[in-house]
Structures are given as C-alpha cells and as structure tokens.
Amino acid sequence: MEMTEMTGVSLKRGSVAVEDNDSVAPGEAKRQKVSECSPTKGQDGLENNSLPSSEKVPGPRETAGEGKKNSDPQSEAEEEEEEDEDGLSEEGEEEEEAESFANMMKHGLTELDVGITKFVSSHQGFSGILKERYSDFVVHEIGKDGRISHLSDLSVPVDEEDPSEDVFTVLTAEEKQRLEELQLFKNKETSVAIEVIEDTKEKRTVIHQAIKSLFPGLETKTEDREGKKYIVAYHAAGKKALANPRKHSWPKSRGSYCHFVLYKENKDTMDAINLLSKYLRVKPNIFSYMGTKDKRAITVQEIAVLKITAQRLAHLNKCLMNFKLGNFSYQKNPLKLGELQGNHFTVVLRNITGTDDQVEQAMNSLKEIGFINYYGMQRFGTTAVPTYQVGRAILQNSWAEVMDLILKPRSGAEKGYLVKCREEWAKTKDPAAALRKLPVKRCVEGQLLRGLSKYGLKNIVSAFGIIPRNNRLMYIHSYQSYVWNNMVSKRIEEYGLNPVPGDLVLKGATATCIEEDDVNNYSIHDVVMPLPGFDVIYPQHKISEAYREMLTADNLDIDNMRHKIRDYSLSGAYRKIIIRPQNVSWEVVAYDDPKIPLFNTDVDHLEGKPPPVFASEGKYRALKMDFSLPPSTYATMAIREVLKMDTSIKNQTQLNTTWLR
C-alpha cells in the first residue's frame, strides 16, 4: 500500500487525545470551589482513589474480555489505610507537570514504536491544533438505547418523601466537622451532641434528617440535658455502616438507583466519582456507569448511584465548579460497563492550513472509508517505560523485570518525589525507604513498594497483586494492543484494503475464515483481526505466521497463552481493522480570537448563551467536526487519518506552537 507523506500538526502540551489527558490548558485551570458542601474543613484538593500511576496506565475502552471491573476488597482496604497520606494538591502537581512535560516527552514513544504506520486515505494531509483548549473536545455518551446523553434539565423530581432543603443549611461548619470525624472514627468521641436552640418539633426533625442524610452510618436520638434539648448522633452499626447507604429511610415504591447525567470539564470519570463520593460522604463503589470518560475534554455521560436522592445530588451543583448534575430519574437497576453503544464527538481543530478542497477530501474519506482502528498512543503510557513492556514481562513470568520496569530510574523529567523515590530504590533496594520518599502513595509505584514491604523481595507476585486488578490487567492489555497494531499494519501493507481469502470475519460472536469463492460477499469493513490469546483463531494467510514470529521473538508461545496465574491468562478477542464513523458532519469556520469557544456546550444551552458569531474573513480557520464511534475506538486515530499526522506527544512537543504568541 502506498504511504502518503505525514504532515505535522501543532499541539499544545498534553493536547493529543481525549483518552489520555493529564494537563490543563493555560487560562482554563479552575480551582475546585469550596463551600458548605466541602467534605472536610479547608480541603480543596482531591484524594485520588482510582490509583492512577505516575506512568498513567492507560484506561481500557470496553472491548470483549476487557471490561473494567471493581477493585478487589484487599486493594480497597489497603487504600483506606493510606487515607491521610496523600500530601500534594492538584495545583502543585500541575505546575510541576507543566515544567517537566516537554523534557519528559523527548524520551516518549512515537507511533512507529507501537506499530501505527499506515493510512487508508489518499488525500494530502494538513496541519491544525487539536485540543488547544479542552473545551475544543466534547464527548457525549451514546446509551444502550442509541440516544446521545445531553444535560438538558437541572430540576429535581418532585418527591413528597424527600426532606426539606433546610437539611443542607441547618448544621454549622463546626458541627459538620465534628460529625464527619465521628462518622470516620477519627476521634475518641462515641457521640456528638448538638443543642437545639429553637426547640420545636419541626426544628428537631430537620436536624435529625440532616445528620442522617449527610452522614450515612450515624443514628440520632433526642436527649434532655439540664433543661435543654440535644440531638445526639452516634454509630449504630460500627465501621460497616459507613459503606452502606441508609436502607430504612428509602421509600419502597422508589427505584433504588438515582440515574443522572454528569457534565464535567477537565476531569476523568474516576476522579469525578471520587470527588462526588467525598462530598456525599459515601464509598465510590455505590456509583456505576457504562464507560469511562477521560480528563482533557468536556464529557457528558450517565451515572447511577445507590440510594442517594436527586435532591442531595442536585445540591452539589451549588458547591462544585466544572461539574453539573441533572436529568435525574429513579430506576430499579444500576448501570453496567460496556452497555453503551459508543460516544459522539464534537472536535475543533484550530488554525488549520488545509484548503477547502483538502478538508472536503479528508472528511469525505473519513465518512466513506473510515480509518484504521489502531489502539491510540495513550494505550501505551506517556513515559520512557511503555506499559506494553511491563505487560510482556508479566506474560513471560519475569517478575524481577516487572518490578524493575516499574521502579527503576528513567530518562526524562518526572515529578521530583518520583525521581527521589526511584533513586532511593536504585541505591538501596529497600521498599520501605523508597516508599518514604513518596508523599503520594496511591500511584502504582507506591502500591508496589507497599506490597514489597509487606511480602518481601522474594514474593514479587504477591506484592504486585496489591495493585488493583484493573490496573494490573491494563499492562497485559497494552501488550495485546501493541501486537494488534503491528499485525494490522502488516496486514494492510501485504493485502491492501480489500478482503482476501484467509481473512477473518465474525458470524455472531464466532470468527471464521473467508473462503476463495466467498470473498466478494465481504468488504474490508467486515474483516477482523485477533488480539492474541488462547481462545482465538488466526488468519489463514501470511499474517498468521507474522503473529507467531512476533510472539516467539518476545519469548511467548502463541499456542499456550494460559498463564500460571489465572488473572494473566489471555483469552483474546477480535477487533475490526477499519472503522467507519457514523453521523459525520463538518464545517470550516473563520475566527480572530484564539481563545473564544467555537460552539456551545450543554451548559451554554441551559444558560441561554447565544451561539458564537464567526468572522467572515478571520485571521484563522478551524475545522469543526462531529462523528460517532463505537466503544473501544479512539477518536485520535480518526483525527490522525484526517490530518495525516503523528499523534504521539513526543512528536507534537517537537512541532511549532508559536503561532499564538
């Protein structure tokens, strides 16, 4: 297949992809608003319970066999032990990231490193700025019924059983803090007494309701003390009460789950849920969702939460910036990962250089042919040690190498505390000493070091097992993706964009080979290729041998993909090699001010903001495009096909970004 020349695209730092975004655009960072909703006095940071690695282990899209599972109980218990040890604020981390990012990326991966080498279209590429502002990338979830999720209604369903709004204001900040400490067993008190200043039954009822609503796990009673009335809060069921929503106060006629649409800016799904759970004083595992949405974007998705009222959720709209909750309803069931049909993207590429004809050719090709369904760069991590290398070592049962890859010093700048931690590890091989250098314990390095402290250097398998299952599996999924990308490039180079005998297609969930006399019944959009595993078949042509050669070179047996540890046994899956986006539309607009938004968000519509007015002859031109993709596909790979660019952060940080200065 003839390759067209790749052109550059100017990007700002961290602006490559929605699926892996660790940055905040200049001028767009907003401190989280703190109000009476604040979970603890003076705390405006977020403790990240989702265990993001400093390496940023890539989040999986929901592919067959790769759905995200809940963290195991052991890991949750380990996390609780570290509740108060995370000492850095988000703001400090972001400043440090900004200083080190460009240097770090000099040692990062390029597309060539992970097998992304081909294009399917013949148009000439052009440049543009992707995600100059996170608001240039908007993702709306497509639910299982095919409807696109929008935030369109902030009202709360009328429910006579809900307490009055007074429950949110009747307690003072000091009383809330004392109750919080009692709820979390953070002091020696066994109860907290609150004096009823205006002693009426109505006032006492509101205080009872406020405590029970805002502090799950606490019970209340009224006591007379020296002629004064007090509401006394106490634990009824020990520590377990904190994890479980109150059952006796939930109306039997109402569905157990409150479903709502979550609109968020520049925050990934797990961070958002951790923040909501902290403000609601509940465990994150009572939330459910159909798919994870990532940080550097505006995203809209459906969330379900167990036995939390819409009224209480809506109150958070007064407390949190960059979040909005709405479209509330009560349902019988939670949401499940993988139930979504996909995502709808609205993307702005600023300062494009392509002519109208080039844009037309590029977008028509995307609409009619599609793009190669590569796993995007964010699947493989952002630092000098790719996640697929760790995955390969796990599959090889090379546990000393797994430990070394995660903990060893690496090229490029990192956060200072991580550099010190790695240096300490290289010098002493003492996990406890290295752990002391880490103020943030919930990164993968911190989890592994704690495991090594607990189980010893001779039991790396158990130490590694402390990391939540999800994060451990992401490493080996990254290796599968690495193999798949390389094999798909070989398939397209060898056979082009037509189905050939020996290619695989799916009939239901079963893969079968295309026979010689059946080729004309299929198109390239039907062809799938396997992620390596013990429960897949391989194409019956040259690419089958290419799979075998690649795994053999990595000291893996393609005929035996079962691992000694069941968790790491790969069953494999099938993935279409070409994806054709749906609902594709686009327009080219002119503008003068690079900071103005070029379309309205759901919140803009709710607030009645007028649509942006474009210049007839502006300094700059932007390509605004809309398209829908199924789960497990990467919008960045669609944009790569339009622009003919290398989407790696390493490449982007070397390109010119001076046009705005």
Side-chain angles (χ1 to χ4, degrees):
M1 178 180 175
E2 185 177 344
M3 287 287 290
T4 51
E5 185 176 349
M6 187 180 290
T7 61
V9 55
S10 298
L11 273 85
K12 289 296 183 185
R13 174 233 143 186
S15 58
V16 175
V18 68
E19 298 89 349
D20 174 42
N21 307 297
D22 305 313
S23 62
V24 178
E28 287 197 57
K30 295 179 182 176
R31 292 295 306 260
Q32 199 65 48
K33 182 179 176 184
V34 183
S35 74
E36 69 278 4
C37 302
S38 181
T40 53
K41 185 177 179 182
Q43 179 178 13
D44 54 1
L46 168 65
E47 290 181 348
N48 190 345
N49 298 319
S50 60
L51 287 167
S53 169
S54 64
E55 303 175 312
K56 205 65 180 174
V57 179
R61 292 296 183 211
E62 282 63 51
T63 61
E66 292 189 15
K68 215 171 186 182
K69 295 187 176 80
N70 289 332
S71 302
D72 51 70
Q74 178 191 11
S75 299
E76 286 188 5
E78 294 284 352
E79 285 181 52
E80 286 175 32
E81 290 175 14
E82 300 296 327
E83 183 73 28
D84 294 312
E85 296 190 30
D86 289 1
L88 293 191
S89 70
E90 285 184 338
E91 186 176 274
E93 289 183 34
E94 284 166 357
E95 287 173 1
E96 206 168 327
E97 281 178 14
E99 291 173 5
S100 67
F101 190 83
N103 187 27
M104 189 192 305
M105 286 305 102
K106 292 175 186 175
H107 305 274
L109 297 171
T110 65
E111 289 186 345
L112 184 63
D113 294 326
V114 295
I116 301 173
T117 60
K118 304 295 181 185
F119 294 99
V120 298
S121 52
S122 57
H123 71 274
Q124 183 181 348
F126 54 93
S127 68
I129 296 182
L130 169 60
K131 296 173 78 171
E132 166 62 23
R133 303 168 64 82
Y134 67 75
S135 53
D136 284 347
F137 208 116
V138 177
V139 187
H140 287 88
E141 190 171 70
I142 304 173
K144 54 187 174 182
D145 56 1
R147 287 187 298 121
I148 298 175
S149 291
H150 282 279
L151 183 75
S152 57
D153 182 7
L154 300 182
S155 66
V156 176
V158 176
D159 193 329
E160 293 178 359
E161 305 222 30
D162 278 337
S164 72
E165 275 288 317
D166 293 343
V167 300
F168 299 109
T169 57
V170 69
L171 298 172
T172 67
E174 182 185 357
E175 288 167 346
K176 286 180 182 178
Q177 185 177 358
R178 289 177 62 210
L179 289 163
E180 167 107 3
E181 290 170 352
L182 175 67
Q183 180 200 29
L184 297 175
F185 297 92
K186 287 188 174 181
N187 57 27
K188 295 180 181 178
E189 285 188 82
T190 56
S191 64
V192 168
I194 295 170
E195 184 181 354
V196 184
I197 305 298
E198 303 165 24
D199 183 18
T200 64
K201 185 176 181 181
E202 290 75 16
K203 186 64 177 285
R204 292 198 302 271
T205 300
V206 170
I207 296 175
H208 283 294
Q209 288 177 335
I211 295 172
K212 291 179 179 180
S213 177
L214 298 176
F215 300 93
L218 296 185
E219 291 291 348
T220 57
K221 60 186 176 181
T222 303
E223 286 187 2
D224 279 310
R225 296 182 181 179
E226 299 177 353
K228 295 180 181 179
K229 282 278 197 305
Y230 288 85
I231 306 295
V232 179
Y234 61 96
H235 278 285
K239 291 192 177 185
K240 288 184 179 178
L242 179 60
N244 300 316
R246 188 173 305 281
K247 294 178 181 176
H248 61 264
S249 61
W250 194 264
K252 292 180 180 178
S253 59
R254 182 198 285 168
S256 293
Y257 294 87
C258 186
H259 287 223
F260 62 95
V261 169
L262 173 65
Y263 168 104
K264 62 183 180 63
E265 299 181 6
N266 208 36
K267 185 81 73 176
D268 68 36
T269 299
M270 281 311 303
D271 280 353
I273 283 176
N274 285 323
L275 187 64
L276 295 178
S277 65
K278 204 165 198 70
Y279 275 70
L280 293 167
R281 299 177 175 88
V282 295
K283 291 288 186 180
N285 60 10
I286 70 169
F287 290 86
S288 58
Y289 46 89
M290 294 183 286
T292 56
K293 306 289 178 284
D294 300 280
K295 182 176 180 180
R296 193 179 165 78
I298 290 174
T299 67
V300 182
Q301 69 183 117
E302 190 174 352
I303 305 285
V305 61
L306 177 64
K307 293 186 177 177
I308 299 291
T309 64
Q311 182 189 36
R312 197 168 159 203
L313 291 165
H315 184 65
L316 296 180
N317 287 332
K318 302 174 184 176
C319 315
L320 302 175
M321 290 178 66
N322 302 346
F323 286 86
K324 276 283 185 276
L325 288 64
N327 297 79
F328 301 102
S329 65
Y330 293 108
Q331 309 286 342
K332 292 181 180 178
N333 299 309
L335 295 168
K336 294 180 181 177
L337 274 166
E339 284 185 328
L340 74 169
Q341 282 194 18
N343 295 290
H344 184 79
F345 297 87
T346 302
V347 179
V348 168
L349 301 175
R350 291 180 183 253
N351 197 34
I352 59 168
T353 61
T355 65
D356 288 348
D357 282 346
Q358 285 175 311
V359 170
E360 199 73 13
Q361 287 178 32
M363 293 306 298
N364 276 320
S365 175
L366 182 69
K367 184 175 181 178
E368 293 163 15
I369 301 173
F371 62 97
I372 304 171
N373 194 20
Y374 286 124
Y375 287 96
M377 295 302 298
Q378 54 275 26
R379 187 74 164 180
F380 307 103
T382 56
T383 66
V385 177
T387 50
Y388 71 80
Q389 289 184 5
V390 180
R392 179 169 55 202
I394 293 169
L395 295 172
Q396 292 169 342
N397 227 26
S398 302
W399 291 101
E401 185 181 356
V402 170
M403 177 177 69
D404 187 51
L405 285 170
I406 293 174
L407 296 178
K408 71 180 181 181
R410 54 190 59 182
S411 302
E414 283 191 299
K415 295 170 184 174
Y417 58 82
L418 267 172
V419 173
K420 290 174 184 174
C421 169
R422 296 188 194 287
E423 288 173 350
E424 182 67 31
W425 172 254
K427 185 170 66 177
T428 66
K429 289 293 188 288
D430 180 344
L435 192 61
R436 284 195 291 272
K437 302 287 185 180
L438 272 184
V440 177
K441 300 291 193 281
R442 290 194 180 92
C443 59
V444 165
E445 293 84 355
Q447 291 283 356
L448 179 56
L449 287 168
R450 195 162 67 243
L452 292 169
S453 296
K454 184 174 182 178
Y455 294 106
L457 299 185
K458 293 185 178 178
N459 195 352
I460 301 170
V461 175
S462 295
F464 185 70
I466 274 188
I467 299 169
R469 183 177 185 272
N470 229 36
N471 297 61
R472 287 181 274 127
L473 295 187
M474 285 177 199
Y475 286 118
I476 56 175
H477 292 159
S478 176
Y479 178 74
Q480 284 181 302
S481 305
Y482 170 72
V483 172
W484 193 91
N485 278 0
N486 279 277
M487 292 301 99
V488 124
S489 292
K490 283 185 180 293
R491 158 64 184 76
I492 290 174
E493 183 173 352
E494 190 71 38
Y495 299 113
L497 291 178
N498 291 306
V500 297
D503 272 337
L504 300 179
V505 293
L506 289 178
K507 293 185 176 177
T510 306
T512 61
C513 281
I514 300 177
E515 302 294 337
E516 182 88 45
D517 54 1
D518 214 14
V519 168
N520 293 333
N521 293 329
Y522 297 100
S523 78
I524 193 65
H525 299 100
D526 298 312
V527 177
V528 298
M529 285 182 56
L531 287 92
F534 60 77
D535 198 25
V536 294
I537 63 171
Y538 293 87
Q540 292 183 4
H541 48 50
K542 289 182 182 179
I543 305 306
S544 179
E545 190 55 36
Y547 270 97
R548 185 174 294 276
E549 288 172 3
M550 186 172 184
L551 267 69
T552 300
D554 285 341
N555 294 315
L556 296 171
D557 182 358
I558 198 170
D559 299 315
N560 182 19
M561 296 300 288
R562 295 187 186 274
H563 196 278
K564 291 178 182 177
I565 300 167
R566 188 176 178 183
D567 262 0
Y568 310 135
S569 289
L570 293 178
S571 60
Y574 298 99
R575 181 176 176 86
K576 286 193 172 183
I577 68 173
I578 303 291
I579 289 291
R580 189 161 42 194
Q582 301 299 305
N583 308 314
V584 179
S585 64
W586 67 93
E587 65 175 323
V588 175
V589 298
Y591 63 103
D592 290 314
D593 183 353
K595 295 178 182 176
I596 62 164
L598 298 181
F599 60 90
N600 277 1
T601 65
D602 286 0
V603 168
D604 292 334
H605 290 306
L606 277 170
E607 293 175 351
K609 287 187 181 177
V613 178
F614 301 115
S616 53
E617 294 288 334
K619 289 183 194 175
Y620 314 115
R621 293 160 67 245
L623 171 59
K624 174 180 174 288
M625 51 183 176
D626 282 83
F627 53 90
S628 299
L629 295 177
S632 186
T633 53
Y634 288 73
T636 43
M637 293 295 100
I639 294 162
R640 169 186 183 269
E641 189 68 44
V642 169
L643 294 175
K644 295 289 183 71
M645 70 178 188
D646 180 338
T647 61
S648 68
I649 302 175
K650 178 177 181 177
N651 183 61
Q652 307 312 332
T653 54
Q654 294 168 1
L655 294 173
N656 175 37
T657 57
T658 60
W659 72 279
L660 282 176
R661 294 175 190 168

